[in-house]
Amino acid sequence: MPPFTVLHVCMGNICRSPMAERLLVVAVRERLARRDVDPARVDEVLHSHSAGTGGWHAGEEMNPPAARQVVNRGGSTAGFAARKLRSDHIDAADLVLTATADQQEYVVALRPDAASRTFVLGEFGRMLATLDPATLPAAEATPEAVHARGVALVEAAHAARQGSALLPGDDLDDPWGRGDQCFTRVADEIEETVQPLAAALLP
């Protein structure tokens, strides 16, 4: 049930998945504002959270270059703490977006029943671009409508990827230790998927 829940997964949960978690919130807030809905109500329609397959950074703050990307793009790092991916995180998610194909395999191995709602981030972005928004449920700015539209969107994206293969460019590079220029590029790539996702949820 609402809110529409997106789980972002990378390895350490201090760089890629936290950026994706918070940048999706920024994108949905912007869509709410366009509809003259108080952006502070974003939590009513979206639960965007993240975890790492490694778990060794559990409890840590976001990596500073990742935090800078989030803040510079209008987001907040408040309250973030890295955590180890657990099965119940996957069970509660309507959509799981992983940084790489390896992490997608990890999620599906942990929870095989989540295969149809687990995508590599870049793969999901490619599938979104092929979908016809007119086939989705009504686009109202209510928790129930956004949830229904999101679930239908995930089902349509899963159907669209049947028979297609992952592409090398679907993976996000790991920017850990590589400086602000690399983090900027990775954040740009994240936005290439999370902004269209927000637009599809709240056109």
Side-chain angles (χ1 to χ4, degrees), residues 1-5 28 32 35 37-38 41-47 94 137-151 201-202:
M1 296 305 295
F4 183 64
T5 299
V28 171
L32 288 172
R35 287 172 164 257
V37 176
D38 182 359
R41 295 177 58 191
V42 63
D43 291 344
E44 296 177 18
V45 299
L46 175 74
H47 178 41
D94 298 302
E140 301 296 332
T142 65
E144 293 78 14
V146 172
H147 184 266
R149 192 170 173 90
V151 169
L201 292 172
L202 288 158

Side-chain angles (χ1 to χ4, degrees), residues 14 19 22 26-27 29 43 77 82 117-119 136 140 145 157 170 173 199:
I14 56 171
M19 287 194 291
R22 297 304 171 96
V26 170
R29 285 178 61 194
D43 291 344
T77 62
R117 50 193 167 89
T118 303
F119 299 77
L136 301 175
E140 301 296 332
D170 290 339
D173 284 343

Side-chain angles (χ1 to χ4, degrees), residues 17-177:
S17 58
M19 287 194 291
E21 169 191 328
R22 297 304 171 96
L23 292 176
L24 176 58
V25 172
V26 170
V28 171
R29 285 178 61 194
E30 290 173 350
R31 302 304 299 190
L32 288 172
R34 290 187 187 190
R35 287 172 164 257
D36 293 324
V37 176
D38 182 359
R41 295 177 58 191
V42 63
D43 291 344
E44 296 177 18
V45 299
L46 175 74
H47 178 41
S48 181
H49 63 131
S50 61
T53 58
W56 49 81
H57 293 291
E60 292 184 18
E61 296 179 349
M62 206 179 298
N63 190 233
R68 284 195 290 274
Q69 291 299 322
V70 170
V71 171
N72 290 344
R73 295 164 193 255
S76 170
T77 62
F80 180 82
R83 60 184 184 167
K84 165 78 172 171
L85 178 67
R86 299 195 315 255
S87 297
D88 60 302
H89 298 149
I90 302 169
D91 293 342
D94 298 302
L95 170 62
V96 183
L97 296 174
T98 69
T100 68
D102 287 347
Q103 288 142 15
Q104 180 191 41
E105 291 175 4
Y106 183 100
V107 169
V108 174
L110 201 58
R111 276 291 187 262
D113 62 342
S116 64
R117 50 193 167 89
T118 303
F119 299 77
V120 181
L121 187 84
E123 173 197 25
F124 190 73
R126 288 192 295 109
M127 296 305 106
L128 270 181
T130 70
L131 303 182
D132 179 4
T135 64
L136 301 175
E140 301 296 332
T142 65
E144 293 78 14
V146 172
H147 184 266
R149 192 170 173 90
V151 169
L153 188 69
V154 172
E155 291 173 352
H158 176 59
R161 70 173 164 178
Q162 298 309 302
S164 66
L166 288 171
L167 302 179
D170 290 339
D171 281 6
L172 287 175
D173 284 343
D174 189 349
W176 167 256

